[in-house]
Every structure is written in C-alpha cells, then in structure tokens.
Amino acid sequence: MTNQSYNLNSIQEILSHLPLHNVEYFETIGSTNDRAAEIAANNNDLFSVVIADEQTKGRGRSGRSWFTPPGSALALSIVLPINANKNNSEIALVSGLGALAVTNSINNKLNLDAKIKWPNDVLVSGEKVSGVLAEAHWVGDSLKAVILGIGVNIGKESIPPSETLTFPANSLNNITGRKIKRLEILRDIIQNGIALWPLVGSREFINTWENGLAFSGESVKLISGKNIAIYGIIEGLADDGSLLLRLENGKLKNFQVGEIQLRPNIDKN
Ligand code: ATP
Ligand code: BTN
C-alpha cells in the first residue's frame, strides 16, 4: 500500500485527546454517513466519528457518487451533537463547517492555499481535493441527527477517472509532491470540526467561511437543478450561509445552499 495504512488502534490513539463518544473504523463500508446516522439514532448529544479506508457507495450531493478506493483517501463522518442552542437554519451552515475544517487543516499543515468552492468543495489551484456532504435527519419536526461527511483525496489513486468528473480533481500527494500522513490530517480535520461547531450560527463563523471562498469578487456561473445558468460576481455570504451574487443587471441576489453548482465563468472571458 503506497499511502499510510491505518487501523482502529492507530486511529483511537491519535484521537484520544478529543472529546469523542464513539470512534469506529471500517476497512470497507458503503457510506460512512449511513453508519454515522445509525450511531446518532442512539446518541446525538455527543461527537462521534466513523472512518473508512474504502467506501463502496460513497455519495456526494443529489445522489452523485463519491469515489473512495482503498488505501488512498480519507473518508470520515462526524456526528455533530444537537442541543437546544442549534436551530434548523443552522443546519445549512454545516457544509461550510466541513469545508473550513478541511481548508484550515491543509493550509496550516501542508502550507497550501486551499479555497472553498461554495458551498461544499475544497479546491487547491482550482482543482477539487475534498468534498463535504452534510446531512440532517428529521422525524417529523424533531431533528435527530446532523452528520458531517468529509472525503479528502490523499494519494493519486483517489482521483476518479476523468470521464466521470464534473470538475477537475487532484490529490494532496500530487500537489505537494510528498506522501501525506493520513492520520495527521484526519486528526486535524476532526479537531477543527469540533472547535468550529459552537461558532456555527455566529457572524464570526460566516466571516471565516466568506474569507475562505474561491472566486470571491470574480465572475461565476451558477447552474440550477433545472440546468439554468445564472451569471454574476460573488460578493460574499449572507448570515444564513447563502451566496450573495451581483447579477449582470446590478441587483444583488441570494442563492441558498441546495441544488446549485458553481463554476468559474469561463464562457464570458
Ligand atoms: P460539483 O462538484 O459538480 O460542483 P457538487 O459540489 O454538488 O457539484 P457533488 O455532486 O456533491 O458535488 O460531488 C460529487 C461529484 O464529485 C461527482 O459527480 C464527481 O464528479 C466528483 N467526484 C467524485 N469523487 C471524487 C473525488 N474523490 N475527488 C474529486 N471529485 C470527485
Ligand atoms: C462532494 O462531492 O462535494 C461531497 C462528497 C462527500 C464525500 C464524503 S466521504 C465520507 C462521507 N460519506 C459519504 O458517502 N460521503 C461523504
């Protein structure tokens, strides 16, 4: 195996200083987000993590698939504790929490300049190295679980075949020319996620997310679920995490985290 291999013992050891209720490791699993949701069904008031070496049914937004072959990536899900201070509108901010946890980690540890392609992708030099899938589970009006799923491409084997990609992708080993230690990045991402969770809902959190945005002040194209393209310049984020776009007619419009894909505006350059 070309990348740092790991097992439950090495993972538990490296995470031992963190306030985690449950730490589970799987050599292979369908999706870590599904297992995390099962854990949250029994305990959703403490942090827990699920880590896998390989995912056979890893997923991104809207049922798109996320590639996690064995031995080359990080795939993890964090059960975020729910308490009375968290309300529904804050759940939309969890994508930003995950993207910030990853960018802070790889920028500080690997000295990179990773940026967030709003809302949920992490780019280095315009290529996707990590994706975040935040999922909330409700029973009626009651919030049962908030799961933060994170995938990071470490080795080159984790880059999906180019014909399956909707956006250019790369891996941290390729970018840095080094063999990254998966465990260190894993610990740092989880630590950042735990530290940032209490800030979710504050303007300070939004400002940090905003500062990390890719294409800020630049012209972009938003593609809606119905494949309609909207052009504008990114001005920042509103308090609810929605994207503020200055449209070509001069009006400022909010776009909610949802079925919107963001692309640099290469059509108009
Ligand atoms: P987009 O990335 O197209 O803007 P998105 O942010 O909604 O959309 P998702 O649909 O959640 O992203 O991510 C799934 C997409 O990511 C897949 O369609 C695939 O093209 C791409 N992908 C899958 N696995 C990986 C990976 N390991 N690294 C980079 N990209 C991947
Ligand atoms: C995206 O494409 O931007 C989101 C990808 C999210 C992938 C991670 S890997 C761990 C967790 N389990 C999943 O099935 N998806 C997320």
Side-chain angles (χ1 to χ4, degrees):
M1 202 70 23
T2 53
N3 293 288
Q4 185 183 31
S5 61
Y6 50 34
N7 53 41
L8 182 60
N9 281 345
S10 58
I11 287 172
Q12 278 176 333
E13 196 181 316
I14 206 148
L15 300 180
S16 59
H17 66 299
L18 294 174
L20 294 169
H21 170 66
N22 232 20
V23 175
E24 291 189 2
Y25 169 71
F26 296 86
E27 263 177 34
T28 184
I29 198 169
S31 161
T32 53
N33 267 28
D34 290 338
R35 177 61 197 142
E38 286 170 12
I39 293 174
N42 295 316
N43 188 325
N44 66 11
D45 53 11
L46 294 165
F47 289 101
S48 288
V49 289
V50 178
I51 294 147
D53 190 48
E54 175 189 29
Q55 292 186 119
T56 54
K57 287 188 178 148
R59 60 176 182 270
R61 296 193 297 162
S62 306
R64 287 187 282 267
S65 64
W66 183 259
F67 186 61
T68 319
S72 64
L74 281 179
L76 66 139
S77 297
I78 308 177
V79 175
L80 297 171
I82 305 168
N83 58 43
N85 300 328
K86 296 287 165 205
N87 61 47
N88 308 353
S89 59
E90 290 172 4
I91 303 311
L93 308 175
V94 175
S95 292
L97 168 75
L100 270 175
V102 175
T103 48
N104 287 350
S105 173
I106 64 183
N107 288 346
N108 293 335
K109 292 278 166 200
L110 308 177
N111 206 14
L112 293 173
D113 185 24
K115 296 279 179 195
I116 301 166
K117 179 165 78 66
W118 180 89
N120 65 329
D121 292 341
V122 176
L123 310 181
V124 177
S125 304
E127 294 175 314
K128 182 161 167 175
V129 296
S130 167
V132 171
L133 179 67
E135 293 180 318
H137 296 266
W138 300 84
V139 175
D141 284 346
S142 155
L143 181 59
K144 293 293 177 202
V146 184
I147 307 301
L148 173 59
I150 299 175
V152 185
N153 298 341
I154 303 285
K156 65 176 186 330
E157 307 78 8
S158 59
I159 306 169
S162 55
E163 63 277 12
T164 66
L165 287 176
T166 57
F167 198 88
N170 209 342
S171 73
L172 294 177
N173 281 357
N174 266 355
I175 291 167
T176 58
R178 291 168 32 200
K179 205 161 272 179
I180 309 293
K181 293 198 169 124
R182 282 198 287 181
L183 282 170
E184 276 180 26
I185 302 295
L186 176 74
R187 173 181 55 194
D188 210 50
I189 289 174
I190 296 171
Q191 196 167 297
N192 289 342
I194 291 174
L196 285 165
W197 181 225
L199 300 181
V200 166
S202 68
R203 185 64 216 182
E204 181 192 349
F205 173 80
I206 297 289
N207 289 345
T208 317
W209 186 4
E210 196 173 64
N211 287 337
L213 285 185
F215 314 119
S216 193
E218 292 175 26
S219 178
V220 294
K221 172 173 159 182
L222 296 187
I223 308 158
S224 75
K226 290 177 185 158
N227 222 10
I228 297 166
I230 300 151
Y231 296 91
I233 291 173
I234 294 185
E235 289 219 347
L237 297 177
D239 290 348
D240 62 356
S242 57
L243 187 75
L244 293 171
L245 200 71
R246 183 71 61 187
L247 302 178
E248 291 173 315
N249 63 11
K251 291 200 172 127
L252 194 61
K253 192 167 164 24
N254 285 50
F255 291 88
Q256 305 296 326
V257 174
E259 207 9 57
I260 293 228
Q261 290 184 300
L262 189 153
R263 294 289 180 271
N265 181 4
I266 48 168
D267 307 3
K268 299 245 166 139
N269 289 335

